[in-house]
Amino acid sequence: MLFKQGSAPFATEIGREQGEDVLYINAIGAPIVPSISENSQIMSRVVDLLIENPQVSRIVFVQQRNYAYPTEQILLLAEISRIYNFLMKQEEILSHKKLQLFGNVPGIYEDLQYIIELLKSDPIACFLELKSHTKNLRDQLDTNVSQNKSALTNYIRALDRISSLLESTSIIKNNLSIIPEYYSKKRQIYDFIFRPEILPNFTFTRLSAQLPKDAEFIDEYEIESDFEKILVTILKRKNDSKYFYHIMPPEYVLSEEHHYLLNLARNVLSEHRPKAGELTDPSRTRQVFFNIARDMVSELANNKKINLSHRELNRLAKILVRHTIGFGLIEILLSDDRLQDIVLNAPISLNPIFVRHEKFEECITNIIPSFEDANSWAAKLRLQSARPLDEANPILDTDLTFENSRARVAAIIEPLSPSGLAYAFRRHRDKPWTLPLFVHKKMINSFAAGLLSFLIDNSRTLLVAGTRSAGKTSLLGSLLLEIMPKYRVIVVEDTLELNVDAMRKIGYDILRMKVRSALVQGTNEVSAAEGIRTSLRLGDSALIVGEVRSEEAKALYEAMRIGALANVVAGTIHGDSPYGVFDRVVNDLNVPPTSFKATDIIVVTNPIKTPDGLHTKKRVVQITEIRKHWVSDPIREKGFVDLMRYNVETDCLEPTQELINGDSEIIKSIASNVKGWAGNWDAVFDNIILRGKIKEEIVNKSLELNKPAIMEAEFNALANNAFHKISEDIRSEFGLPLSDRVLPKFIEWLNKEAENF
């Protein structure tokens, strides 16, 4: 807080922030909310301050809440201040010399003094007053009432001059059409012109509380979390290709009493700064600070005789934690499970936050972060990750976890980002993705889900490829859930994106290893390559690598060759086609072509643009097997064979003739080791179709019962277990897990379990 209790009322201070001069005005202890729109004295005071400080581009009134008026609004009053300054200094409108030009017309000095003061406190009323007054004076000239026509004519010209100056200002020009409507409504018109961004005193991040003018309402929903309900409004502004994401966090609508308590509590709590060791376990640290904050707010409320309900107490404690050891409004955005990405561009304080919404895609928000808050977040990320962020290491790639939200965050600074700090947050889904969910979202169809389930169940090596934001990691996570929980799984990641904790809760035997990012040097973390090699010494396990980026590629292919046919080895990699993956692995990451052949399957997922160019949809576009006969060039030597290929006309993955006709070396290799499948392509293909139908039945039952949870990970694990048990029972009786026997039994199980889930 800039001003303390006892500071001089309406004292001022100018701060330089990211190229802007910001004028802070002390309103602590003032009996009114310092509103430019509602209070003529406040408006007049602002104009006076702009006359004294013409370089100021933003003004903030400091109270229990801060009221920040943005540049575009302050410029309106800056024009008024310049007119006032011109009239008083250059025109010397109230000087004796000037008044002599108007002769002895009674009351001119008082009239002019009134108009000049009205100019500062109510420029629109001043404009209307000038129009009305000059009309009356002209009527006097026409009726020859005046004794001194020359002096009166000079006076009318002077008033016309002031009126003309006013009419050229933006505040008049922009509102000329609605001025008559509000003529009799006193200052109500200013409510549409001067709308401050209301900031709690414990954050510098600005928020435009009012909905933008001339915006069309599109949608509205609530984000629900413990003790809070947060309203999100989606709007569309004319000529803007992005939607407007308007959010109203609880800290921006608190009462003055609650703000007062938070300010007091924050001053005390800020004295206890968490140590680096505490921040390495964020969940425990937050719980400890939440308990401290709740006790502190409760004690302060009792001392100040402010009544708080249990819910209000917990809500205030949560806000306090969010704005002390937390990440402020970033946490609010990350709690919205419909958001996928959150972007903060440099210079931080001059740009709103942008988000990517699952339905409305790219959106602009009503939040403008501050340089102070952005710096604070960077310091916390350094402590939590134990990774540097400085001139020598201008990139920090890490992860965030709090409550039910997880995110991957990338921060960059100078010299990589010449304008200073910038952030990108990739929000992870609270629960793991599943194949039924992807079928429902049409990223794959049920047959593709069956094929992928078949390949994972039979321990193939697999890479999920795609561009950024194509859904690679999410798809890999869904494939991980197709591994039977009885098998051990080791996950190697440099940033923790796969939802390992959720998998443990549903019974998976899983070990996570965190390794050094390829973008980071000089930390005590183990390299990704060493992490992968270590996993081979930790016993028989499936190996999942979060993303193949650098020298760990050689170690991954070593793992593929060692673990061939024994366990699943899978990972993600950037590449928009099978050959793109080959080119990256062999030519960029220096893996020998013969080692690359250890890859059995490449799944390519990419965003597909709609014809209008305004929307994208995530789709798996290829499932390709890597054959083993080629020597140096898999394209020329036909080493890539598509099993499924995306049809843009039908918006669907379709099996290729090679798959339909059984011309798949990988699947025939699987079949050769299974009794009843060797040489029996129809039985193998029947099992793939069966698995797809199982996924489709789960989706249909979820929609039929309106139970989305049936498509989630917990039920997916139960369903997979039931499928394998039923398949084993049918195989024991009939020799093969025939689909016409397994499917009815599974549907019977599904109907019973889904009703009670």
Side-chain angles (χ1 to χ4, degrees):
M1 186 186 292
L2 279 167
F3 305 103
K4 304 295 183 183
Q5 295 288 348
S7 299
F10 294 97
T12 61
E13 186 173 319
I14 294 179
R16 183 79 176 167
E17 298 176 8
Q18 299 257 303
E20 285 187 302
D21 281 333
V22 182
L23 179 66
Y24 291 91
I25 303 173
N26 178 32
I28 297 171
I32 57 168
V33 172
S35 169
I36 289 176
S37 63
E38 295 176 8
N39 193 299
S40 60
Q41 291 179 324
I42 296 293
M43 181 181 280
S44 180
R45 176 64 177 147
V46 167
V47 173
D48 282 335
L49 289 168
L50 289 172
I51 293 167
E52 298 169 13
N53 307 280
Q55 79 282 8
V56 164
S57 56
R58 280 201 296 124
I59 289 180
V60 179
F61 286 93
V62 178
Q63 214 173 45
Q64 295 301 336
R65 284 179 286 192
N66 291 349
Y67 299 85
Y69 288 89
T71 302
E72 60 270 19
Q73 295 177 26
I74 295 306
L75 288 177
L76 298 177
L77 292 182
E79 286 185 298
I80 301 301
S81 73
R82 287 194 292 271
I83 291 175
Y84 180 90
N85 209 29
F86 170 77
L87 292 172
M88 295 300 290
K89 290 189 175 179
Q90 290 182 249
E91 289 288 305
E92 297 181 331
I93 195 74
L94 295 179
S95 68
H96 180 69
K97 179 182 176 182
K98 198 77 170 181
L99 292 171
Q100 278 185 324
L101 295 175
F102 309 142
N104 297 318
V105 178
I108 282 183
Y109 178 81
E110 289 77 10
D111 277 357
L112 281 173
Q113 196 170 40
Y114 167 72
I115 287 167
I116 294 300
E117 288 304 314
L118 191 60
L119 172 67
K120 293 193 298 179
S121 62
D122 193 340
I124 291 176
C126 181
F127 175 70
L128 294 173
E129 187 76 22
L130 283 166
K131 291 290 186 185
S132 174
H133 195 38
T134 52
K135 183 180 182 303
N136 291 334
L137 292 174
R138 284 193 177 91
D139 288 343
Q140 290 181 33
L141 277 176
D142 292 343
T143 56
N144 295 315
V145 172
S146 172
Q147 298 292 324
N148 191 341
K149 285 192 174 185
S150 175
L152 187 54
T153 300
N154 289 339
Y155 183 43
I156 292 171
R157 285 175 181 163
L159 295 183
D160 281 340
R161 171 73 168 143
I162 300 173
S163 179
S164 176
L165 289 170
L166 257 178
E167 195 166 8
S168 68
T169 62
S170 298
I171 198 169
I172 301 298
K173 284 192 300 184
N174 295 348
N175 300 285
L176 202 56
S177 61
I178 62 171
I179 283 174
E181 182 183 348
Y182 290 94
Y183 176 71
S184 61
K185 298 179 182 178
K186 297 184 179 179
R187 300 185 62 85
Q188 191 174 347
I189 191 170
Y190 293 119
D191 292 340
F192 299 92
I193 301 172
F194 296 103
R195 303 190 293 177
E197 297 158 348
I198 302 172
L199 290 74
N201 234 332
F202 41 80
T203 178
F204 293 95
T205 293
R206 292 140 54 199
L207 180 136
S208 179
Q210 290 82 7
L211 298 176
K213 293 188 289 186
D214 305 322
E216 177 189 358
F217 174 85
I218 301 296
D219 196 8
E220 193 171 78
Y221 61 91
E222 285 185 336
I223 306 169
E224 293 195 28
S225 62
D226 295 339
F227 323 119
E228 297 177 324
K229 282 189 178 181
I230 303 160
L231 182 66
V232 173
T233 306
I234 306 293
L235 305 127
K236 189 70 186 294
R237 296 184 293 192
K238 190 177 180 181
N239 300 325
D240 195 339
S241 60
K242 288 183 171 68
Y243 286 91
F244 190 86
Y245 179 97
H246 183 280
I247 191 168
M248 186 48 63
E251 47 262 61
Y252 288 80
V253 292
L254 294 175
S255 67
E256 290 295 321
E257 280 188 337
H258 289 179
H259 269 287
Y260 177 59
L261 287 175
L262 282 180
N263 287 331
L264 291 176
R266 186 178 185 276
N267 290 337
V268 178
L269 194 61
S270 61
E271 294 176 6
H272 176 72
R273 298 187 179 275
K275 299 172 185 175
E278 292 178 312
L279 282 173
T280 56
D281 186 358
S283 297
R284 180 178 175 277
T285 304
R286 289 180 77 90
Q287 188 57 52
V288 169
F289 268 71
F290 177 80
N291 294 336
I292 294 170
R294 187 174 52 190
D295 292 343
M296 189 181 305
V297 172
S298 177
E299 184 178 345
L300 288 169
N302 289 334
N303 290 341
K304 302 298 179 182
K305 298 186 173 11
I306 298 173
N307 292 323
L308 292 177
S309 67
H310 176 73
R311 186 179 185 83
E312 288 172 334
L313 177 61
N314 284 318
R315 184 173 65 168
L316 292 180
K318 188 173 182 180
I319 292 170
L320 196 54
V321 170
R322 189 155 61 223
H323 289 280
T324 49
I325 66 166
F327 288 80
L329 294 191
I330 295 296
E331 294 188 16
I332 296 284
L333 294 174
L334 288 173
S335 69
D336 185 352
D337 59 12
R338 304 187 196 195
L339 295 186
Q340 298 167 344
D341 290 285
I342 300 163
V343 177
L344 290 77
N345 295 325
I348 284 280
S349 66
L350 300 183
N351 292 290
I353 293 176
F354 293 91
V355 296
R356 183 174 177 82
H357 196 279
E358 68 173 11
K359 182 177 180 182
F360 301 105
E361 300 190 346
E362 304 297 335
C363 300
I364 184 172
T365 74
N366 61 324
I367 302 169
I368 301 178
S370 69
F371 182 71
E372 293 86 352
D373 286 339
N375 265 345
S376 169
W377 302 335
K380 290 165 187 170
L381 289 173
R382 289 188 197 99
L383 285 172
Q384 287 186 18
S385 66
R387 292 177 175 176
L389 182 63
D390 50 38
E391 286 189 8
N393 302 274
I395 306 165
L396 192 156
D397 205 8
T398 186
D399 53 271
L400 276 178
T401 303
F402 35 80
E403 296 183 2
N404 296 319
S405 300
R406 299 183 309 116
R408 174 178 174 174
V409 53
I412 61 173
I413 60 169
E414 305 97 330
L416 183 60
S417 173
S419 299
L421 264 170
Y423 291 95
F425 296 83
R426 165 67 57 84
R427 188 189 187 282
H428 302 311
R429 198 169 181 272
D430 301 338
K431 300 174 183 177
W433 281 94
T434 65
L435 290 181
L437 279 168
F438 280 129
V439 171
H440 177 55
K441 294 288 185 181
K442 298 185 178 179
M443 184 168 171
I444 56 175
N445 56 22
S446 57
F447 182 84
L451 176 61
L452 292 171
S453 174
F454 179 87
L455 293 167
I456 293 295
D457 225 5
N458 287 282
S459 302
R460 294 293 104 179
T461 59
L462 181 145
L463 286 177
V464 180
T467 59
R468 191 180 183 278
S469 300
K472 301 185 298 296
T473 303
S474 299
L475 183 59
L476 179 65
S478 71
L479 297 179
L480 209 160
L481 285 163
E482 294 303 303
I483 300 171
M484 289 288 287
K486 69 177 184 178
Y487 297 117
R488 188 169 186 238
V489 178
I490 295 178
V491 174
V492 179
E493 297 178 283
D494 57 3
T495 54
L496 309 183
E497 298 185 86
L498 293 166
N499 203 332
V500 168
D501 292 336
M503 293 185 65
R504 284 199 192 103
K505 290 176 182 177
I506 57 177
Y508 273 80
D509 177 6
I510 191 164
L511 171 66
R512 164 176 271 161
M513 297 170 64
K514 189 174 188 296
V515 295
R516 183 174 67 238
S517 169
L519 301 173
V520 175
Q521 299 296 327
T523 71
N524 58 2
E525 294 175 310
V526 172
S527 71
E530 185 60 32
I532 292 171
R533 291 191 178 97
T534 300
S535 73
L536 302 178
R537 299 193 289 270
L538 293 176
D540 189 32
S541 308
L543 174 62
I544 307 297
V545 179
E547 185 167 342
V548 182
R549 301 179 195 267
S550 188
E551 75 279 354
E552 72 272 14
K554 292 180 181 178
L556 175 64
Y557 277 92
E558 181 183 334
M560 285 182 174
R561 298 177 77 175
I562 291 173
L565 304 181
N567 292 297
V568 174
V569 180
T572 67
I573 190 167
H574 280 86
D576 61 358
S577 66
Y579 187 80
V581 174
F582 168 79
D583 189 40
R584 176 156 171 70
V585 170
V586 173
N587 296 323
D588 295 346
L589 304 181
N590 300 315
V591 172
T594 52
S595 294
F596 179 78
K597 286 191 283 188
T599 311
D600 291 326
I601 298 291
I602 294 176
V603 181
V604 181
T605 172
N606 280 325
I608 303 294
K609 277 193 176 291
T610 56
D612 56 21
L614 295 175
H615 306 284
T616 57
K617 46 193 179 183
K618 295 178 181 178
R619 295 290 186 265
V620 171
V621 295
Q622 279 177 281
I623 300 177
T624 303
E625 75 172 24
I626 314 299
R627 295 194 169 174
K628 315 304 178 186
H629 64 270
W630 55 277
V631 178
S632 59
D633 190 331
I635 290 288
R636 190 175 66 248
E637 300 172 66
K638 298 182 179 179
F640 294 138
V641 175
D642 288 342
L643 303 181
M644 297 193 75
R645 194 181 300 118
Y646 178 74
N647 185 331
V648 70
E649 297 297 329
T650 61
D651 188 28
C652 188
L653 265 177
E654 297 176 352
T656 61
Q657 285 303 309
E658 286 83 358
L659 178 59
I660 293 170
N661 296 332
D663 186 19
S664 166
E665 292 184 0
I666 299 299
I667 295 177
K668 284 191 287 189
S669 173
I670 292 170
S672 67
N673 295 310
V674 178
K675 183 180 179 180
W677 282 359
N680 186 354
W681 177 252
D682 289 341
V684 175
F685 201 69
D686 178 72
N687 192 260
I688 293 171
I689 293 173
L690 169 62
R691 289 168 182 267
K693 288 180 178 177
I694 293 294
K695 304 302 181 187
E696 188 173 5
E697 289 293 335
I698 292 171
V699 174
N700 292 340
K701 183 57 66 174
S702 172
L703 298 176
E704 175 192 329
L705 299 178
N706 193 24
K707 287 186 174 181
I710 291 172
M711 289 187 279
E712 297 289 354
E714 183 178 355
F715 193 86
N716 186 84
L718 295 174
N720 283 348
N721 186 59
F723 167 71
H724 285 93
K725 187 176 185 306
I726 293 168
S727 295
E728 175 60 21
D729 292 343
I730 298 298
R731 189 198 62 78
S732 298
E733 185 175 352
F734 296 97
L736 285 172
L738 303 171
S739 63
D740 58 351
R741 300 282 182 175
V742 173
L743 188 59
K745 290 279 189 183
F746 180 83
I747 292 174
E748 182 182 341
W749 174 88
L750 178 63
N751 289 335
K752 179 181 177 182
E753 293 297 321
E755 288 285 350
N756 301 320
F757 188 74

